């Protein structure tokens, strides 16, 4: 299962860390806006961090001095900044072994099957979202399926899983109403009939607008949403996926997610183009290899067969899966980029050490998924947070001495 943390600011939304962060207003945190880092400064011998060069959009440049720096801009931007900071180390900071930017990984995702429309409600009841109540608050989870370790080893599969997603109906009444209100409908009479036939969905939409309003007291929102989750565990998930608007669903699809085997040729490099700050733009060569494609095909087939054996509705595989046309599958990233500043015990095999410090550069650390040596198949948030907390404790301890 996957857990989705609910926002404490907006009761019908998942947590968005930025908005949660700015409400903290910690006295020992100073946020500099309009201050893009353009260069990581090193001492002349390249052995220590020395400062950061920053620039506003208008071009005003400044220097930020600090005892330590933590670069935490995700896998593509972490690599770009290290590579572009070449004033002292000509190949970029921490790149003596040509490893910065290499081993770019993400989670390979693909839609692999779907259920017939008549089976959608049954599938979502069993495999959709559900809520668990603890300490007066209902927490949201999503079901998934994964191969057992023994089966994975026998079939030589990468780590992988499948999950179930509702699909929007083409005769959705809320979408029809929005087209009529915006006067953008190409078939107004047909859209009007759709709205009339979906009055319940439209009424629910009006209720969600009231619930999202700032005029509705927070305690009332909390009570309503917790109660709704207990009655219909898919409610909050559906509202998030549809940006707060209810929709009529036509079917349920099965999506697969798989880890990637680390590949040094899957990488981030610097292009010849520059951005408005004069920095080279990242050139990304993200490679999906046969191991990922084969894993996705296999877990799709395993899922179909397992449903059939259990007497549940049997999904229909996508044609490229059913015919095993590996090279024709539409595989996307999941915005979980990782691996470009990988952690290692030796500078010969990675960019940062076990404490996330750049090999050979005192006071310069990297945080985020870019330090992952492997990526697994699960959402990386908790591991990123665990490493960040561990790193902050390390820095506080060192500075305290």
């Amino acid at each position: 299962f996957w857990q989705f943390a609910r926002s404490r600011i907006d009761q019908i939304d998942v947590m968005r860390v930025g908005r949660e962060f700015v409400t903290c207003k910690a006295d020992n945190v100073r946020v500099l806006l309009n201050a893009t880092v353009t260069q990581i400064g090193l001492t002349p011998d390249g052995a220590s961090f020395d400062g950061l060069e920053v620039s506003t959009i208008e071009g005003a440049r400044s220097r930020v001095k600090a005892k330590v720096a933590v670069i935490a801009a995700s896998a593509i931007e972490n690599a770009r900044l290290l590579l572009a900071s070449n004033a002292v180390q000509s190949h970029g900071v921490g790149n003596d072994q040509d490893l910065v930017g290499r081993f770019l990984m993400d989670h390979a995702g693909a839609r692999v099957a779907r259920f017939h429309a008549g089976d959608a409600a049954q599938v979502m009841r069993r495999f959709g979202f559900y809520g668990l109540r603890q300490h007066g608050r209902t927490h949201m989870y999503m079901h998934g399926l994964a191969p057992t370790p023994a089966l994975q080893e026998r079939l030589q599969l990468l780590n992988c899983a499948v999950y179930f997603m509702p699909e929007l109906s083409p005769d959705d009444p809320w979408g029809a109403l929005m087209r009529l209100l915006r006067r953008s409908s190409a078939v107004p009479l047909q859209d009007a009939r759709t709205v009339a036939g979906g009055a319940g969905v439209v009424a629910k939409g009006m209720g969600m607008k009231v619930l999202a309003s700032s005029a509705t007291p927070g305690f009332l929102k909390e009570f309503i949403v917790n109660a709704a989750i207990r009655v219909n565990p898919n409610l909050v998930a559906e509202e998030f996926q549809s940006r707060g608007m209810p929709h009529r669903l036509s079917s349920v699809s099965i999506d697969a997610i798989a880890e990637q085997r680390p590949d040094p040729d899957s990488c981030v490099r610097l292009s010849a183009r520059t951005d408005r700050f004069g920095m080279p733009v990242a050139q990304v060569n993200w490679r999906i290899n046969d191991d990922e494609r084969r894993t996705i095909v296999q877990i799709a087939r395993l899922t179909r067969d397992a449903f059939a054996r259990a007497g549940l509705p049997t999904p229909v595989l996508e044609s490229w899966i059913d015919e095993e046309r590996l090279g024709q599958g539409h595989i996307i990233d999941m915005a979980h980029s990782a691996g470009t500043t990988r952690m290692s015990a030796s500078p010969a095999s990675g960019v940062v050490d076990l404490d996330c410090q750049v090999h050979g550069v005192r006071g310069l650390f990297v945080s985020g998924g870019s330090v992952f040596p492997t990526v697994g198949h699960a959402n990386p948030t908790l591991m990123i947070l665990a490493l960040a907390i561990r790193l902050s404790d390390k820095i506080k301890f060192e500075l305290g001495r």
Side-chain angles (χ1 to χ4, degrees), residues 339-358:
T340 57
T341 63
R342 65 197 322 240
M343 182 185 292
S344 67
S346 164
S349 55
V351 177
V352 302
D353 64 19
L354 305 188
D355 291 320
C356 296
Q357 183 170 258
V358 175

Side-chain angles (χ1 to χ4, degrees), residues 250-267:
S250 64
S251 185
V252 174
S253 66
I254 301 178
D255 288 10
I257 185 170
E259 73 170 324
Q260 289 197 272
R261 192 181 301 280
D263 178 356
D265 292 325
S266 183
C267 60

Side-chain angles (χ1 to χ4, degrees), residues 269-275 278-283:
R269 287 289 178 257
L270 299 180
S271 72
R273 293 190 302 117
T274 57
D275 62 16
M279 292 183 64
V281 174
Q283 181 176 340

Side-chain angles (χ1 to χ4, degrees), residues 394-401:
K394 163 77 175 177
I395 292 173
K396 286 189 293 185
F397 176 76
E398 292 294 337
L399 293 180
R401 292 199 304 178

Side-chain angles (χ1 to χ4, degrees), residues 50-67:
D50 189 49
L52 297 173
E53 302 291 338
V54 301
S55 175
T56 68
I57 294 175
E58 294 77 18
R61 297 184 178 270
S62 305
R63 184 172 177 82
V64 178
K65 294 287 290 183
K67 294 179 180 178

